[in-house]
Amino acid sequence: MPLGKIGNTDLHLIKSEKVNPYKNIPIFIKLESQNPTKSIKDRMVHHVVSKAKDSLSEEITFVSASSGNTGTSLAYICKLMNFRCVIVTNTKCSEEKINACKAFGAEVIVADSDAKPNTDNHYQQIAVNLASSNSNYFDLDQYGNKGNIEAYYKTLGPEIWEQTDGEITHFVTGGSTCGTVMGAGSFLKSKENKIKVVLADPIGSSISEYITSETVSSEPGKYVIEGVGKDSIPKLLDRELIDSVIEITDQEAIDMCHILKSEEGLYLGGSSGLNIAAAIKYASKLPKDSKSTIVTIGCDSGEKYASKIYSDKWLNQNKFDRNISTK
Ligand SMILES: Cc1ncc(COP(=O)(O)O)c(C=O)c1O
């Protein structure tokens, strides 16, 4: 049964010293790109839809705001469970992700990515308005649904704990809804309170600013990495759980994606590049004799970004250096 293939992904140890020069600090990547729709979101959507399913009629339509991956997961899971769904995304979402939603039969609405948060044209608000004006619509509400955190608390956290035999000392990952960092992070701390949770964030996102100073500037910066960072404070984020923040530039995240491809044979998306770049930067700050084991997340597959961060044309057009060959 395809739904049974969600989770239990591999934990990859970085071997190349070009990627991780800190030999005494093992860095592992949880390969969430191995899920059926090639992203971590299969875990959350499967959990939330399965919980909702028993209390809903067969006529129900699921709706979700998504930067792409949640939409693909929802389209796939609704197809297998025989539900209709509507995905609301924005113009930042790659063509590959939009096409994947459509391929599983979802209706897709693409909003302007420049729309201000909490206005009617913002993609998250469009989904909220759709659900509130249609009684047979169920909003997945990944930004406010505690089931999002629960999914990672019950699956991702325990897998990481078992796969590292409880040796993990640092969990590094980015956030959008912050379900991953809250769910897996709180599970890991429940097993060993000394484990540090480190939030990786694109420069320009409001999340790191909120964690470090509890404020958010009115004009968030721009960054191209998809699926992580936010222009507002994620409702599910509890800043008390986060021990440190590492900020990463688009260029650093993109470079890391290309190095991982050539050195480790891993073809991962931009947020994975950002996570791994943050894990390495964090390792560089640890004492040389540190007995640390870092785990970070490979959130989704590089295939979803073939026309963007893996395209020479796109890199040139967007004025990114090609420090590492894209071939
Ligand atoms: C590619 C990618 N990476 C990371 C994340 C962040 O996960 P979370 O929403 O659990 O914070 C997302 C979420 O949309 C994503 O699509």
Side-chain angles (χ1 to χ4, degrees), residues 258-315:
H258 290 286
I259 303 171
L260 285 166
K261 186 160 151 271
S262 57
E263 290 293 316
E264 297 283 323
L266 296 176
Y267 187 35
L268 299 173
S271 67
S272 311
L274 178 130
N275 281 346
I276 296 148
I280 309 285
K281 211 178 248 190
Y282 194 87
S284 75
K285 296 173 194 281
L286 291 169
K288 289 223 157 44
D289 57 353
S290 156
K291 293 249 178 306
S292 299
T293 297
I294 300 179
V295 176
T296 188
I297 306 290
C299 310
D300 67 357
S301 159
E303 282 161 48
K304 295 173 187 253
Y305 310 90
S307 67
K308 289 191 153 183
I309 59 174
Y310 289 104
S311 151
D312 284 354
K313 192 171 154 211
W314 185 91
L315 289 172

Side-chain angles (χ1 to χ4, degrees), residues 17 44 85 122-123 141 230 239 244 252 254 266 273 275-277 313:
E17 282 182 37
M44 181 276 288
C85 72
H122 193 269
Y123 76 114
D141 185 21
K230 209 82 216 113
R239 56 195 282 282
S244 317
E252 287 173 312
I254 290 169
L266 296 176
N275 281 346
I276 296 148
K313 192 171 154 211

Side-chain angles (χ1 to χ4, degrees), residues 201-214:
D201 209 30
I203 290 185
S205 157
S206 301
I207 302 181
S208 41
E209 194 187 352
Y210 171 67
I211 289 170
T212 49
S213 66
E214 227 179 321

Side-chain angles (χ1 to χ4, degrees), residues 6-236:
I6 296 171
N8 292 315
T9 53
D10 290 344
L11 191 68
H12 174 93
L13 172 65
I14 297 175
K15 291 159 213 84
S16 165
E17 282 182 37
K18 281 196 196 159
V19 182
N20 176 17
Y22 309 102
K23 270 201 221 153
N24 61 318
I25 303 175
I27 300 180
F28 290 92
I29 310 170
K30 186 76 169 141
L31 292 178
E32 292 301 295
S33 48
Q34 293 176 342
N35 282 305
T37 73
K38 303 187 191 315
S39 99
I40 191 164
K41 291 291 180 178
D42 286 352
R43 293 181 188 264
M44 181 276 288
V45 174
H46 185 220
H47 182 71
V48 172
V49 171
S50 301
K51 266 182 96 173
K53 184 176 151 260
D54 299 336
S55 56
L56 300 171
S57 78
E58 278 173 23
E59 300 303 311
I60 217 81
T61 295
F62 283 91
V63 60
S64 178
S66 163
S67 59
N69 280 333
T70 299
T72 313
S73 295
L74 184 62
Y76 169 78
I77 285 160
C78 283
K79 185 89 192 156
L80 292 179
M81 290 188 172
N82 285 323
F83 288 110
R84 267 195 72 225
C85 72
V86 181
I87 314 298
V88 191
T89 186
N90 65 29
T91 41
K92 208 170 143 181
C93 182
S94 72
E95 204 56 35
E96 290 89 336
K97 286 198 255 182
I98 292 174
N99 289 341
C101 294
K102 289 182 180 164
F104 290 121
E107 185 187 327
V108 181
I109 298 171
V110 184
D112 186 352
S113 64
D114 284 332
K116 293 252 177 316
N118 304 319
T119 61
D120 278 348
N121 294 332
H122 193 269
Y123 76 114
Q124 283 176 237
Q125 193 57 41
I126 293 175
V128 170
N129 292 348
L130 263 178
S132 58
S133 54
N134 291 284
S135 59
N136 63 334
Y137 276 38
F138 178 95
D139 186 0
L140 209 67
D141 185 21
Q142 62 167 334
Y143 293 93
N145 193 334
K146 292 258 167 62
N148 180 351
I149 296 179
E150 205 176 79
Y152 301 109
Y153 188 95
K154 288 192 165 171
T155 68
L156 185 65
E159 286 174 34
I160 292 173
W161 180 254
E162 277 160 33
Q163 285 171 309
T164 58
D165 293 324
E167 299 276 306
I168 175 173
T169 57
H170 297 80
F171 177 55
V172 182
T173 197
S176 170
T177 66
C178 290
T180 308
V181 71
M182 288 291 114
S186 57
F187 175 84
L188 292 166
K189 278 189 187 268
S190 77
K191 297 303 276 184
E192 170 53 72
N193 199 32
K194 288 195 195 117
I195 293 174
K196 301 280 181 236
V197 175
V198 181
L199 195 283
D201 209 30
I203 290 185
S205 157
S206 301
I207 302 181
S208 41
E209 194 187 352
Y210 171 67
I211 289 170
T212 49
S213 66
E214 227 179 321
T215 56
V216 168
S217 32
S218 51
E219 279 301 321
K222 289 212 182 289
Y223 49 90
V224 301
I225 298 302
E226 291 174 44
V228 274
K230 209 82 216 113
D231 50 12
S232 55
I233 303 162
K235 275 194 242 164
L236 298 178

